[in-house]
Amino acid sequence: MQKWYTTVLALGLAGQVFAQNPLVVKVNQPKAEIQPTMWGLFFEDINMGADGGLYAELIKNRSFEFESPMMGWKEQKNPKASVLVLNRQDQPENPRFIRVKTEGGKYGLTNEGFRGMGVKQGVGYDFSVLSRNVEGNLTLKLELIKPDGQVLGTASLPLNSTDWKKHSVRFTSNGTEPKAKLNVWFEGTGTADLDMISLFPQDTWKNRPGGLRADLVQLLADMKPGFLRFPGGCIVEGMDLSNRYQWKKTVGPLEGREVAINRWNKEFKHRLTPDYFQTFGLGFFEYFQLAEDIGAEPLPILNCGMACQYNTAEVVPVEELDPYVQDALDLIEFANGSTDTKWGKLRADMGHPAPFNLKLLGVGNEQWGPQYIDRYVVFEKAIKSKYPEVRLISSAGPNPDGEVFGFLNGKLRSLKADIIDEHYYRKPEWFLENATRYDDYDRNGPKIFAGEYASQSKDVASPENRNTWLCALSEAAFMTGLERNADVVHMASYAPLFAHADGWQWTPDLIWMNNLQSYGTPNYYVQKLYSTNKGTKVLPILSNNQLITGKDQLYASATWDEPTKEVILKLVNASSQPQTHTVNLEGVKKLENKGKRFTLKSSEPGAVNSFDQPKQVSPTEEELAVKGTKLNLTLAPQSFTVVRVKVVK
Ligand code: AHR
């Protein structure tokens, strides 16, 4: 697999390859417009992407609603004290709470966090709990500790209400520790009920209380993504329909959001994660807000009455689809509706009276077969008649070819679907060979969303897959084909987005994290180079009057960027030899004499980034000397190069 094809260009000294023919960019012949949505993000709560990852809550099982109510908690026993799990009937979506009774002496509960808690020196931590006193008066003594018991921060919190009330206190950590725990000691004599025990760092994204991990959001914002797909992925579908993602259960007050088992917790026997649940603290409001923060179009994907076809494949009879369709209509109202509407009002009550301007909506995730088409048409009719401006994403199934794909592709085209979502988890060779995939697509048919793709170093969903440079390079080569065909391909996103080093189920992933650190993979830098060097129109780039799609292991695309008046080139040299090319920019009188060049390369196809070497494979930026309207470029072996040159009058 790691074979680099030998080049057939003229070999010069020391293996240097000099191309005979110049590459020609026809700057005066701009073609298709590149959609602002072209390069985006796919988010799913897989690999502890939300709970334990992006959602900065440090307490695992804060509401005691995991299958096993005390999962994540350890009792620090005392014969004179006890804890009971009880149920309240007035709150069916979050019924459980704990009752602690103590007659004095040292008694407490310890929360282990999500594989520990990442805490930082000098950062403030907000502790909160919903509680009511049943008898007597208890005071909580909080202790953030290292695994060896060393105390990093403390606080006292008297519980002073006989009705359910939120109590909170802030304290600072005096040390940095990736695997901290929280002791909650009960001082005094009495009985108290507790629920929603929570601990958040203050330094969240935009310092929002109860917010998202800032380092992770920053990595996303840095990509300037065109859209944010959410919440998946198979999580949309659920293992069965009762486990499907239901957006209405993810909005409103936190304590009213019903916890669900995360469908990835038992999916892979080799990566069991039995403590993986969804608290929906990162729910649909926080999602829309995140998309807005990072300048991405929101793209929700909704369940279409079908559970995951790799699991139960449960379906809702077509004549009983109404509640599912209503969920879709109501989501549009939640995002866009006036504050006089039921769901628009909830959005305003949650702090965002202005609409979120939802324009795209996915019907089902990776569904297949006639059952999908039967349900898709019901959604399409209902949504289009109420919201004709919303463009719908439809599923072409899990594979980019074969019978299932052929059936759906044919049906969706005959239905004149807006945008078809294609997925490809394939080996690097496939990506290299498929840089021409869209060259022959119908220019007048549905648009394409390359909604999930990633080059697999070993095999689909194999735990041995790695985010190698070879995989990233093959994606860069393939993406020249997406860009060249921007009249057909309107959106693309790598998948999955996040993985926690101690809690993942699926690899490869775009961004890896632990409790304190995060880094972008080589694949991340490929995505970022594309999305931050997008351009507004496709330009033809040719060699010998032919598209540059892999001959001599060279791949290229070019764009024009109207706001900056720059020509942007993307060149992938997938061979093991350097290549020198002259590039003629045709139809241009003058270029600024200095351009910019970004190079992403490694001499080692298996190179990866890591917590210790997070930027081992990352782009370098340098000035590029420009003479007249020609560029001379030497492309390093196994490299991805982006060039920006400005046209002057
Ligand atoms: O990205 C991981 C999974 O791959 C997604 O949940 C699913 O849509 C696909 O099969």
Side-chain angles (χ1 to χ4, degrees):
M1 198 245 313
Q2 314 246 333
K3 161 178 113 187
W4 294 95
Y5 303 98
T6 50
T7 59
V8 291
L9 302 188
L11 261 180
L13 287 176
Q16 173 77 12
V17 174
F18 295 97
Q20 309 291 348
N21 297 300
L23 311 184
V24 174
V25 183
K26 301 197 179 259
V27 184
N28 55 350
Q29 290 179 27
K31 300 286 178 206
E33 237 174 75
I34 296 166
Q35 299 301 312
T37 51
M38 183 73 191
W39 310 114
L41 297 171
F42 162 97
F43 176 87
E44 177 167 20
D45 191 4
I46 184 173
N47 302 319
M48 286 176 38
D51 287 290
L54 186 57
Y55 183 53
E57 172 66 90
L58 294 171
I59 301 280
K60 184 165 76 182
N61 194 11
R62 63 186 174 193
S63 60
F64 309 98
E65 299 297 331
F66 284 18
E67 232 168 10
S68 164
M70 293 305 286
M71 190 179 243
W73 294 94
K74 185 172 172 215
E75 200 182 354
Q76 307 293 348
K77 293 200 175 169
N78 164 352
K80 288 184 171 172
S82 63
V83 62
L84 282 179
V85 177
L86 298 175
N87 259 265
R88 53 194 283 199
Q89 283 161 355
D90 59 335
Q91 199 173 262
E93 61 287 338
N94 172 17
R96 289 189 203 139
F97 62 93
I98 56 167
R99 175 161 292 177
V100 172
K101 182 173 182 180
T102 172
E103 291 166 23
K106 195 162 185 185
Y107 179 72
L109 295 170
T110 302
N111 191 274
E112 66 188 24
F114 297 88
R115 313 296 189 274
M117 299 172 185
V119 295
K120 287 177 263 175
Q121 181 163 18
V123 171
Y125 289 85
D126 288 326
F127 175 89
S128 64
V129 58
L130 281 180
S131 79
R132 67 175 173 194
N133 292 344
V134 179
E135 191 179 85
N137 282 308
L138 295 181
T139 292
L140 302 185
K141 167 93 186 296
L142 310 169
E143 261 181 5
L144 196 56
I145 56 163
K146 286 189 167 208
D148 65 4
Q150 193 189 315
V151 177
L152 294 164
T154 59
S156 273
L157 183 63
L159 305 180
N160 57 14
S161 169
T162 47
D163 293 325
W164 283 106
K165 184 184 147 198
K166 183 171 175 175
H167 297 73
S168 39
V169 64
R170 177 173 288 179
F171 62 99
T172 301
S173 174
N174 62 29
T176 296
E177 168 59 50
K179 301 271 181 194
K181 294 179 190 177
L182 184 76
N183 287 331
V184 181
W185 299 108
F186 295 86
E187 294 182 338
T189 303
T191 303
D193 292 340
L194 298 97
D195 198 1
M196 298 301 287
I197 304 180
S198 170
L199 184 70
F200 269 91
Q202 267 182 274
D203 65 345
T204 54
W205 171 252
K206 291 186 180 279
N207 297 318
R208 283 195 188 117
L212 306 180
R213 237 177 89 167
D215 60 326
L216 298 176
V217 180
Q218 192 60 56
L219 281 164
L220 306 185
D222 290 347
M223 294 174 78
K224 302 198 188 315
F227 65 88
L228 180 60
R229 173 181 175 145
F230 179 96
C234 292
I235 213 158
V236 169
E237 306 162 41
M239 295 169 287
D240 56 24
L241 283 171
S242 68
N243 179 238
R244 73 191 190 276
Y245 197 103
Q246 298 182 59
W247 77 266
K248 287 177 180 164
K249 296 187 175 184
T250 75
V251 291
L254 281 187
E255 57 274 19
R257 301 185 193 180
E258 190 179 323
V259 168
I261 194 163
N262 187 305
R263 57 135 307 124
W264 292 105
N265 82 357
K266 290 182 194 143
E267 184 74 19
F268 297 122
K269 286 205 180 64
H270 53 269
R271 293 294 302 175
L272 289 177
T273 323
D275 57 343
Y276 199 4
F277 287 76
Q278 294 178 275
T279 63
F280 301 109
L282 167 48
F284 254 84
F285 178 83
E286 294 76 15
Y287 154 61
F288 281 124
Q289 196 175 39
L290 171 63
E292 183 175 79
D293 286 350
I294 62 176
E297 290 287 343
L299 165 52
I301 306 285
L302 292 186
N303 188 292
C304 65
M306 299 178 79
C308 182
Q309 289 162 283
Y310 288 115
N311 297 139
T312 60
E314 191 186 358
V315 290
V316 180
V318 172
E319 49 299 345
E320 289 169 28
L321 265 182
D322 274 3
Y324 291 72
V325 174
Q326 195 57 47
D327 274 357
L329 298 172
D330 291 343
L331 181 68
I332 301 172
E333 186 177 292
F334 178 68
N336 297 350
S338 98
T339 52
D340 300 339
T341 61
K342 174 177 173 191
W343 294 103
K345 178 174 181 315
L346 177 59
R347 182 191 71 241
D349 292 347
M350 290 184 77
H352 201 288
F356 283 117
N357 287 319
L358 178 68
K359 299 182 196 107
L360 298 158
L361 188 69
V363 178
N365 174 46
E366 213 173 51
Q367 322 305 154
W368 63 76
Q371 288 176 319
Y372 174 62
I373 299 296
D374 293 348
R375 282 153 189 79
Y376 171 77
V377 293
V378 175
F379 276 80
E380 191 199 31
K381 190 169 171 218
I383 296 170
K384 289 285 182 185
S385 56
K386 188 154 185 202
Y387 299 108
E389 69 285 4
V390 172
R391 304 187 75 209
L392 297 182
I393 314 292
S394 49
S395 160
N399 296 308
D401 44 35
E403 211 178 307
V404 167
F405 176 84
F407 170 78
L408 290 170
N409 192 41
K411 285 283 181 200
L412 291 169
R413 282 175 187 279
S414 68
L415 289 168
K416 301 197 187 317
D418 291 332
I419 305 176
I420 301 180
D421 179 11
E422 299 187 355
H423 293 183
Y424 10 89
Y425 294 99
R426 287 286 195 266
K427 297 252 180 101
E429 292 85 334
W430 185 92
F431 282 88
L432 292 170
E433 283 157 15
N434 279 274
T436 54
R437 177 177 176 89
Y438 296 108
D439 292 353
D440 299 326
Y441 263 51
D442 179 1
R443 307 337 268 185
N444 301 311
K447 302 305 174 193
I448 298 299
F449 172 28
E452 294 184 30
Y453 64 92
S455 179
Q456 313 281 299
S457 63
K458 177 88 177 168
D459 213 345
V460 186
S462 163
E464 287 169 49
N465 285 328
R466 294 290 172 269
N467 284 95
T468 65
W469 171 232
L470 170 60
C471 289
L473 187 68
S474 71
E475 289 154 9
F478 176 76
M479 289 164 77
T480 59
L482 300 183
E483 187 168 84
R484 181 174 54 252
N485 289 288
D487 56 331
V488 168
V489 182
H490 278 195
M491 314 168 75
S493 46
Y494 184 98
L497 183 57
F498 288 122
H500 191 296
D502 299 332
W504 58 272
Q505 297 81 42
W506 179 294
T507 181
D509 305 284
L510 202 63
I511 293 169
W512 284 80
M513 64 183 137
N514 57 28
N515 285 345
L516 287 176
Q517 301 158 287
S518 49
Y519 69 85
T521 56
N523 318 69
Y524 170 86
Y525 289 108
V526 166
Q527 295 291 324
K528 186 176 166 189
L529 279 172
Y530 268 93
S531 60
T532 55
N533 294 286
K534 188 166 52 196
T536 49
K537 283 209 162 156
V538 177
L539 294 176
I541 178 166
L542 305 167
S543 168
N544 251 341
N545 238 357
Q546 302 287 312
L547 297 174
I548 302 164
T549 59
K551 182 170 178 294
D552 308 326
Q553 294 297 290
L554 181 69
Y555 301 80
S557 58
T559 63
W560 169 252
D561 191 45
E562 183 58 29
T564 60
K565 310 275 186 243
E566 284 174 300
V567 175
I568 306 174
L569 309 179
K570 311 215 172 62
L571 299 140
V572 173
N573 175 10
S575 78
S576 54
Q577 303 294 329
Q579 297 189 16
T580 294
H581 295 276
T582 301
V583 186
N584 288 348
L585 271 62
E586 274 187 14
V588 168
K589 288 208 185 96
K590 206 170 161 203
L591 297 174
E592 247 178 31
N593 58 5
K594 278 182 206 147
K596 266 191 218 150
R597 173 189 181 140
F598 305 90
T599 310
L600 189 58
K601 64 176 182 182
S602 172
S603 54
E604 194 36 69
V608 293
N609 290 341
S610 62
F611 293 110
D612 291 337
Q613 291 187 291
K615 296 209 167 162
Q616 171 153 265
V617 186
S618 61
T620 53
E621 182 181 339
E622 58 199 320
E623 211 172 82
L624 179 74
V626 180
K627 282 193 187 132
T629 57
K630 280 193 190 359
L631 310 172
N632 285 317
L633 293 175
T634 295
L635 308 176
Q638 300 140 32
S639 66
F640 173 38
T641 302
V642 177
V643 168
R644 298 185 76 116
V645 284
K646 193 172 169 84
V647 173
V648 281
K649 294 248 171 187

